[in-house]
Amino acid sequence: MALPKLRWRDPVFWSTALRLALPVAIQNLLISSFALVDTLMVGQLGDVPLSAIGMATQWAWFLNICQFGFCSGATLFYAQYWGVRDVKGIHRVFGIAMTAVAVISLVFTAVCCFAPQWAISLFNRTPAVVEQGAAYLRIAGWSFLAQMAVSMIGALLRSTGRVKLPMFTACLTTAINLVLDYGLIFGKLGFPALGIAGAAWATAISAWAGLVFLVAVSAVQKNILIGPIREFFDFRLASLAAYFKKANPVVVNEVAWGLGTVVLNLIYSNLGYEYYAAVTIVRTFENLAFALLIGLCSACAIMVGNSVGAGDIEQGVAQSRRFVVMEPALAICLGGVLIAARRPLIHLFNTGGALSEVTYASAVIILILYSGHMITRNIPYITIVGIYRAGGDTATGVKYDMGCLWLLSIPVTFLSAYVFKLPFPVVYALMLMSEDYVKTWLCIRHFKSWRWLMPVTEEGRTALADWKAAHNIV
């Protein structure tokens, strides 16, 4: 029996999707603008500081990837538990995930505070780059715990339908960061001119201000974050086993993918700091565009997870089919905008003529390449992160991400850069093609098999058996 024809005219679906997606998109746009402000202002200081901050922020980025692994594993439980209103279960999973992320954050902070030169020298050994990157990292490392806590709390709130508070928190931290960046980098508004160290102080102060605000408002609202302490630290063996059984594949997936991306960045940075400065510029626009796509993906994960957890498999499948079309369609539109506006966008970083011609020209070319590949980048994203994990399948993404990244993309990028010594834009293009094309095909095939439906609630498991029988699905 075939699935029913997909209906696009569904007012409840659209109102729910927009209510969930828009605040998340705005929040992530603000977070991305947080990085854009740093990069734009530091870019006025020249190629070396710009390259240095790009390398320094790789540590925060990799930590965020680790956090995202634990968070994604937890979000699966949040969404499905919220479908049956199991608040105690949600608190227990949050406590487990938050404890794991806090430990990892403190380890990263220790590295940045006590060995910042070593951390930067992994990417580039140019003395000026190492010196300035270490100066940034030594201070910005103190923001890690606050940033990770805000991300974890935000995911908890969004999964239970409270999407506005994380957005308002992002507004606050972005505003504080903007003012402090301007004052502390250039010596304005009565602040001392600290250069790249000023950007680090702005990051640290705004991160902790955001956490204080988020916790204080949650206490006033008495939202899902507030509850008996024992519920958050009820680490029973069965609870730990259930969480890590689902979370471990996601954590391994995200950490291995993050390590692979760091390896790619090592390849880029060792080809020359000017090329890495170009990558840093393009990544800011990549993050801004991706912020809108994250909004859709987050709405997808919440809606599909709630439906599957509550046992409404038919609705969860219909929602996933809509989102798997919507996400790449939006990616095509955003890619077209970036290509059309490529030169004005790149010129934002060169208003004072501080960038070299190599950095400027490389940034223009790789922005075109990235934009042209946005559809094949985002089909795997919406299926693995937004659909498979929400449905309970946390293992498939590991195989697809690891195989395509470590067995295809990294070897191809390394060989093209250091053996065949191809031009940098060609190296970047081969990286995109070798990772994304095969993975896109694999993800579409697995989506159509419906094997990603693996509920963690009893209601969901019972309903899935009935749904498969009704549609003759093995």
Side-chain angles (χ1 to χ4, degrees):
M1 178 180 175
L3 295 180
K5 184 178 179 181
L6 186 62
R7 294 185 301 107
W8 287 95
R9 296 185 64 181
D10 185 340
V12 174
F13 169 81
W14 289 109
S15 62
T16 305
L18 289 175
R19 178 176 60 82
L20 294 172
L22 284 178
V24 176
I26 293 170
Q27 177 190 351
N28 282 281
L29 277 172
L30 291 168
I31 292 171
S32 297
S33 67
F34 187 106
L36 175 63
V37 167
D38 275 354
T39 309
L40 274 173
M41 293 190 182
V42 173
Q44 307 307 309
L45 304 177
D47 287 340
V48 171
L50 182 59
S51 183
I53 198 172
M55 296 173 192
T57 53
Q58 279 299 292
W59 281 89
W61 176 85
F62 184 62
L63 172 59
N64 191 59
I65 290 296
C66 296
Q67 175 269 143
F68 185 69
F70 286 102
C71 188
S72 290
T75 299
L76 155 64
F77 288 92
Y78 299 156
Q80 293 199 24
Y81 282 166
W82 190 244
V84 293
R85 296 301 188 269
D86 183 358
V87 175
K88 290 184 179 180
I90 291 172
H91 284 168
R92 184 169 59 249
V93 171
F94 177 78
I96 295 170
M98 188 65 239
T99 300
V101 169
V103 171
I104 296 172
S105 299
L106 292 173
V107 171
F108 273 71
T109 297
V111 171
C112 293
C113 292
F114 299 110
Q117 291 87 353
W118 171 80
I120 299 299
S121 65
L122 290 174
F123 296 92
N124 192 280
R125 296 183 182 277
T126 304
V129 173
V130 172
E131 179 185 356
Q132 295 200 39
Y136 178 90
L137 208 52
R138 189 179 290 111
I139 300 166
W142 291 103
S143 70
F144 291 169
L145 183 59
Q147 289 178 345
M148 296 308 102
V150 168
S151 295
M152 294 294 290
I153 295 171
L156 171 65
L157 295 175
R158 288 193 299 271
S159 296
T160 54
R162 290 184 173 269
V163 293
K164 292 183 179 180
L165 180 54
M167 180 186 70
F168 292 141
T169 303
C171 291
L172 175 68
T173 55
T174 301
I176 294 173
N177 184 66
L178 175 63
V179 172
L180 292 180
D181 261 340
Y182 179 68
L184 291 171
I185 292 175
F186 304 113
K188 305 294 185 179
L189 307 176
F191 291 103
L194 301 178
I196 195 171
W201 278 111
T203 296
I205 294 170
S206 58
W208 282 101
L211 178 59
V212 170
F213 173 79
L214 186 56
V215 173
V217 174
S218 293
V220 172
Q221 293 181 344
K222 300 189 184 304
N223 59 37
I224 191 70
L225 180 64
I226 307 303
I229 295 296
R230 64 179 180 276
E231 288 186 5
F232 291 92
F233 296 98
D234 182 15
F235 295 171
R236 300 175 187 174
L237 185 60
S239 302
L240 290 169
Y243 170 74
F244 283 106
K245 181 180 179 180
K246 290 293 185 181
N248 279 347
V250 183
V251 174
V252 170
N253 189 171
E254 297 300 335
V255 171
W257 182 81
L259 283 172
T261 304
V262 170
V263 171
L264 291 173
N265 288 328
L266 288 171
I267 294 173
Y268 302 151
S269 61
N270 283 286
L271 291 173
Y273 69 82
E274 289 174 314
Y275 292 130
Y276 197 79
V279 172
T280 301
I281 292 171
V282 171
R283 198 161 279 149
T284 59
F285 298 116
E286 175 185 336
N287 291 339
L288 284 170
F290 193 50
L292 298 174
L293 297 162
I294 289 174
L296 268 186
C297 187
S298 179
C300 175
I302 294 169
M303 293 171 69
V304 172
N306 286 170
S307 296
V308 172
D312 194 345
I313 306 298
E314 196 72 58
Q315 177 171 274
V317 168
Q319 291 165 340
S320 70
R321 292 169 67 192
R322 294 188 183 105
F323 279 110
V324 86
V325 174
M326 292 161 55
E327 181 93 359
L330 179 58
I332 292 173
C333 296
L334 292 172
V337 170
L338 289 177
I339 290 174
R342 61 193 182 278
R343 291 193 178 277
L345 290 175
I346 301 301
H347 188 69
L348 289 172
F349 291 85
N350 199 37
T351 53
L355 299 181
S356 69
E357 184 59 35
V358 172
T359 296
Y360 184 88
S362 298
V364 170
I365 294 171
I366 64 175
L367 181 58
I368 294 173
L369 291 171
Y370 170 78
S371 302
H373 282 82
M374 281 187 72
I375 183 171
T376 52
R377 295 243 101 182
N378 282 283
I379 289 176
Y381 175 66
I382 187 65
T383 50
I384 292 174
V385 178
I387 296 173
Y388 299 170
R389 293 177 184 173
D393 180 5
T394 58
T396 297
V398 181
K399 296 184 291 184
Y400 294 172
D401 273 341
M402 296 311 94
C404 294
L405 178 60
W406 286 95
L407 300 181
L408 291 175
S409 185
I410 290 175
V412 167
T413 306
F414 179 84
L415 291 172
S416 62
Y418 297 120
V419 176
F420 299 107
K421 300 187 183 302
L422 298 176
F424 179 72
V426 177
V427 173
Y428 187 84
L430 289 173
M431 178 275 296
L432 292 172
M433 295 168 62
S434 58
E435 179 180 359
D436 294 335
Y437 289 3
V438 174
K439 185 161 62 173
T440 295
W441 174 74
L442 290 170
C443 286
I444 292 173
R445 186 184 67 169
H446 187 66
F447 173 76
K448 293 168 70 175
S449 75
W450 311 115
R451 294 192 186 97
W452 48 269
L453 287 164
M454 300 179 181
V456 299
T457 64
E458 188 60 39
E459 293 87 345
R461 286 190 288 267
T462 301
L464 177 61
D466 295 338
W467 180 82
K468 284 185 174 181
H471 293 285
N472 296 320
I473 295 173
V474 180

